[in-house]
Amino acid sequence: MITKKIKAVLFDLDGTLIDTEKYYKLCWPLAFEHFGYKVSEEQFLSLRSLGRPFILERMQSWFGQNVECEDIRKYARKLVDEKIGKEGLHLKKGVVDCLKFLKENNVITSIVTATAIERTEKCISAVDIKKYFDYVISATEVEKGKPAPDVYLYACEKIGVKPEETMAVEDSPNGSMSAINAKCNVIMVPDLTEPDEGLVKLLFGKLKTLEEFKMFVIENGIQF
């Protein structure tokens, strides 16, 4: 029995709420190839949820100081948008039931994402979950993106809660470490990458899908 008093639940967007990581997995390597670079699956996965300035540093370590980081990112987003235009946006399993459960219990909810706010608002409106969120917060509003703690610390400050009074729901190691570094209680729902042994020890919990969220709360005596 964990027994925690939680005032807010903070959700990552891509791969956690909406099933978009499969598009990024396809499009990012194509974007690199477009500019004459080749990345392995392991390299691509290490970029997931990686924010400023870490993504530039990572690319430079692979391809040198002159790598066209912003051009690659923009081209990847263009390819992803084309895929979304053809195949649509879809929620991950259990998202709506999880959000309804939190709303029924008057829990503050926020999106905390590496994605820009305008793009985030567009996505959550398209899948009809905007109504469930009290805040939408982006790492573009802080100096350093994930895995630095900046965006989660900023979210807690803006909402008016302490990190230890929150649960952060993430799908990637970089996102999870961002919330862990901020001292949030992190629930990981892995999408493309399972946590390694070291990360598992730092997690508050690990779920297969958000369908398990309500039961996790009940079984562990979490109070809202």
Side-chain angles (χ1 to χ4, degrees):
M1 184 73 72
I2 296 173
T3 310
K4 286 268 187 181
K5 176 66 176 178
I6 298 296
K7 295 182 179 179
V9 180
L10 317 176
F11 290 89
D12 172 56
L13 180 66
D14 292 289
T16 299
L17 295 173
I18 55 175
D19 192 15
T20 46
E21 291 290 0
K22 60 187 179 184
Y23 298 144
Y24 286 102
K25 183 179 180 181
L26 174 66
C27 295
W28 265 95
L30 293 176
F32 275 106
E33 288 178 17
H34 180 78
F35 288 90
Y37 304 104
K38 185 175 179 63
V39 292
S40 67
E41 182 170 320
E42 182 181 1
Q43 285 176 312
F44 155 72
L45 291 174
S46 76
L47 296 177
R48 294 177 58 233
S49 293
L50 201 64
R52 307 185 317 278
F54 307 109
I55 192 166
L56 174 60
E57 293 172 357
R58 185 72 52 85
M59 287 189 190
Q60 287 177 333
S61 73
W62 296 338
F63 305 118
Q65 294 297 308
N66 296 323
V67 64
E68 302 94 325
C69 179
E70 277 307 306
D71 291 336
I72 293 169
R73 293 178 71 179
K74 288 178 182 178
Y75 191 73
R77 284 196 294 268
K78 174 179 176 292
L79 295 178
V80 169
D81 286 343
E82 289 173 356
K83 289 293 291 183
I84 291 172
K86 292 178 181 177
E87 300 183 27
L89 286 173
H90 307 281
L91 291 170
K92 299 288 287 186
K93 287 183 179 179
V95 168
V96 172
D97 286 343
C98 174
L99 294 175
K100 283 183 177 179
F101 171 65
L102 293 172
K103 185 65 71 176
E104 289 166 359
N105 283 276
N106 299 312
V107 183
I108 298 169
T109 55
S110 177
I111 290 177
V112 181
T113 178
T115 302
I117 287 182
E118 183 178 350
R119 186 180 180 90
T120 298
E121 295 269 8
K122 184 177 179 180
C123 288
I124 61 177
S125 294
V127 292
D128 196 28
I129 58 171
K130 183 177 180 179
K131 58 192 174 187
Y132 294 110
F133 291 98
D134 302 294
Y135 298 87
V136 175
I137 293 167
S138 168
T140 59
E141 300 175 84
V142 298
E143 182 180 354
K144 293 182 179 179
K146 302 175 183 180
D150 299 32
V151 67
Y152 276 103
L153 292 174
Y154 173 69
C156 290
E157 180 181 355
K158 189 169 183 178
I159 294 168
V161 293
K162 298 175 182 178
E164 58 266 30
E165 296 173 328
T166 71
M167 284 199 297
V169 185
E170 283 275 359
D171 73 296
S172 71
N174 285 325
S176 296
M177 283 309 305
S178 175
I180 288 167
N181 289 334
K183 309 298 184 186
C184 301
N185 301 288
V186 181
I187 303 291
M188 188 173 180
V189 189
D191 185 10
L192 300 181
T193 310
E194 290 289 330
D196 60 24
E197 289 184 11
L199 179 53
V200 167
K201 293 176 182 178
L202 300 174
L203 295 174
F204 184 51
K206 177 175 172 288
L207 310 178
K208 291 181 180 178
T209 74
L210 282 174
E211 291 174 313
E212 300 176 352
F213 182 86
K214 181 178 179 179
M215 189 56 64
F216 177 85
V217 168
I218 295 170
E219 288 180 347
N220 289 288
I222 297 167
Q223 300 174 2
F224 296 129

